Amino acid sequence: MGFEELGSGRERPWRIQSLMRRKQVDSNRGKAEGGGHQLAKELSVLQLVAIGVGSTIGAGVYVLVGTVAREHAGPSLTISFLIAGIAAALSAFCYAELSSRCPSAGSAYHYSYICVGEGVAWMIGWALILEYTIGGSAVARGISPNLALFFGGPGSVPSFLARIPISALAVEVDPCAAILVLIVTGLLCVGIKESALVQAIVTSLNACVLLFVIIAGGYIGFKSGWVGYTVASGFFPYGVNGMLAGSATVFFAYIGFDSVASTAEEVKDPQRDLPLGIASSLSICCFLYMMVSVVIVGLVPYFTMDPDTPISSAFVEHGMHWAMYIVTSGAVLALCSTLMGSMLPQPRILMAMARDGLLPSFFSDVNKRTQVPVKSTIVTGISAAILAFFMDVSQLAGMVSVGTLLAFTMVAISILILRYVPPDEVPLPSSLKESIESVSFCYSNQGQDVEISKDVQTDDNHKLDLAGGTSIYDPLVMKDDDKYKMNEQKRRKYAAWGIASVCVGVVILTLSASATTSLPLYFLYSTCCIGGLLLLGGLFVLSWIEQDHGRHSFGYEGGFICPFVPLLPVCCILINSYLLINLGIETWLRVSVWLLIGVLVYLFYGRSHSSLTDMVYVPVAHVDEIYKRKSSEYVA
């Protein structure tokens, strides 16, 4: 039986197989064949940490402290930040392994394409495009109001910074936001090394502001006796549930470390530096968040905090009015670093999708001098600048979370697939068709005349003496091999069902637990039980069976290995799915429109232009032999 060929999508345009096709995992051979689309390898661990911290710590920390403390956590806000940081670390572990094994641009889109399939990868990439565009525009729109504080308020802002209402269009344009987006776009076009340097400087200044808040606030707290922790309502005024609700809210303050994974192709030593960069940036962010919350919650009682400017107002209450300008400077710096972090990944995702043929090749062009995707960066910058100029996208902020949580969930699923059912077939181009057919013919006739090289050995008891290169068949060896293959197929089948059971169980459980409709309680409890049983059953199966031996040779070796598999990725899937379900119906309706547009783009362009069209899928074990035959034919 020969190898499977996925024919042209033009022959049967609507067939479902195209959604399931997977591209080849990163390898040295794949890099060599990649041609002229490679990015410059310039980033070190410190630069990765700067990108990760700058993308994660936005101006939200200057607001979240007051809002979450007043409404959810009270003095226990620090524990809320810790729990949210641990939950984010689950996704970070998964990202660390995949980014070091598959260090190419594209982040979650790239991993999904390798492990899950083209259809899912397209939707993840399409959702990430929306996330980064809206995220960058929302951040840019938030800078001008903070700058206005330096001039005494919105009414005193210079005309070039002020927002201008246009009553005819019922919009309020923001030229300052658009200009800042274009400046960042120009910086990103100069080169990754230069933009990473600027990001490091801005992030360092922001970190200094937060350190000032921690040190100065701690000094005031010790002098005043930490009045915020002596409130009559205690450490958990809203109970443990309130503290957990606060964790769910502040979890979104940690999304941003995935920007580090998006630069994987530009890292000097990805197997070492990417895991360190992701872990270090997340740890630094968690430390800063927790220390700021410890200090500010202790300076003033949580119920008296200003929800809009909690840090500034806390210092003002203790007579330090001048500290407001330092805190405002930190908020502006945080917004600027987040803007850079939001705009950095999107051109690389567009480039990765264009490399795979799912978008026009225009987006995959890499500038020869700067070695960055300049065309994709310019398109991204212009789109974000127009959006920031005309629209107040704050009401669309929930759409940013959808893209991130979908990516986090799919990365965790990819880890399970990598460990238990890694792709056992590789797509090869039609130029290798003769070599593929030759190898296919040999293996399809096993048991009769199988051509084997002279040096082949099986085990100590069954050496094959192939004098003169003749063909030979040892029935004992073939019988053992067939038995192993049958057991391996059974193991992969159980693993696939286990992963499917986990995913279905998570969906049922989170939907039932989050239901706010007037459904009968017995129905909700029953569906929760069904979802929980499916989840636990799948987890038990994955814990019981062995992981696939092929995971050791998946992609590049020597990188980070995600611990506690399958428990850790399953917890990650559960947490992210729960947060996705609870984003609200309005957010999902808006995202659904964008995803529907993506489906149409894929059906009418991406599916038929995919680089996997007309590919032949061969077993991983035979790839080297096929390339050897091709080389020998070329030499001959």
Side-chain angles (χ1 to χ4, degrees), residues 186-268:
L187 178 62
L188 293 175
C189 289
V190 172
I192 186 63
K193 188 175 182 179
E194 291 76 9
S195 55
L197 176 61
V198 174
Q199 175 81 309
I201 294 172
V202 176
T203 301
S204 299
L205 292 174
N206 181 30
C208 288
V209 172
L210 292 177
L211 289 175
F212 164 79
V213 170
I214 295 168
I215 296 171
Y219 174 74
I220 296 172
F222 279 112
K223 284 185 64 177
S224 61
W226 298 105
V227 294
Y229 291 112
T230 60
V231 292
S233 51
F235 195 70
F236 297 96
Y238 299 98
V240 176
N241 288 336
M243 183 263 294
L244 293 176
S247 298
T249 303
V250 301
F251 174 84
F252 296 102
Y254 287 97
I255 59 179
F257 64 83
D258 54 324
S259 297
V260 177
S262 70
T263 64
E265 196 170 309
E266 295 156 288
V267 179
K268 295 177 181 178

Side-chain angles (χ1 to χ4, degrees), residues 418-439:
L418 184 159
R419 293 298 189 89
Y420 290 97
V421 282
D424 56 353
E425 292 180 331
V426 174
L428 296 182
S430 55
S431 59
L432 297 172
K433 192 170 184 178
E434 291 185 4
S435 301
I436 293 170
E437 288 177 348
S438 175
V439 175

Side-chain angles (χ1 to χ4, degrees), residues 72 244-249 251-252 397-402 405-406 409 506-517 528 573-591:
H72 299 293
L244 293 176
S247 298
T249 303
F251 174 84
F252 296 102
M399 299 173 71
V400 176
S401 302
V402 171
L405 292 174
L406 281 175
T409 304
V506 165
V507 171
I508 295 175
L509 182 61
T510 52
L511 282 173
S512 303
S514 306
T516 56
T517 59
C528 278
I573 295 169
L574 181 62
I575 292 170
N576 293 320
S577 299
Y578 179 79
L579 294 172
L580 272 171
I581 296 297
N582 284 278
L583 285 177
I585 187 66
E586 291 184 0
T587 296
W588 274 107
L589 287 175
R590 295 189 186 108
V591 171

Side-chain angles (χ1 to χ4, degrees), residues 26 31 41 98-105 264-265 270-271 274 556:
D26 296 4
K31 291 292 184 187
K41 288 188 172 293
L98 286 172
S99 62
S100 60
R101 284 185 179 271
C102 315
S104 287
E265 196 170 309
Q271 281 68 48
L274 279 169
Y556 288 86

Side-chain angles (χ1 to χ4, degrees), residues 262-284:
S262 70
T263 64
E265 196 170 309
E266 295 156 288
V267 179
K268 295 177 181 178
D269 186 358
Q271 281 68 48
R272 178 180 67 92
D273 294 349
L274 279 169
L276 284 175
I278 292 172
S280 301
S281 59
L282 188 61
S283 301
I284 292 171

Side-chain angles (χ1 to χ4, degrees), residues 543-624:
S543 302
W544 173 60
I545 63 176
E546 291 184 357
Q547 297 183 23
D548 196 294
H549 294 294
R551 71 187 188 279
H552 298 299
S553 57
F554 187 89
Y556 288 86
E557 299 178 7
F560 178 80
I561 301 298
C562 181
F564 308 116
V565 175
L567 181 61
L568 187 149
V570 169
C571 290
C572 181
I573 295 169
L574 181 62
I575 292 170
N576 293 320
S577 299
Y578 179 79
L579 294 172
L580 272 171
I581 296 297
N582 284 278
L583 285 177
I585 187 66
E586 291 184 0
T587 296
W588 274 107
L589 287 175
R590 295 189 186 108
V591 171
S592 297
V593 174
W594 175 254
L595 295 180
L596 180 60
I597 296 171
V599 169
L600 296 176
V601 173
Y602 175 75
L603 289 177
F604 290 102
Y605 183 87
R607 178 197 51 77
S608 57
H609 290 79
S610 170
S611 60
L612 296 184
T613 302
D614 294 325
M615 284 286 187
V616 180
Y617 281 75
V618 304
V620 173
H622 302 153
V623 173
D624 290 336

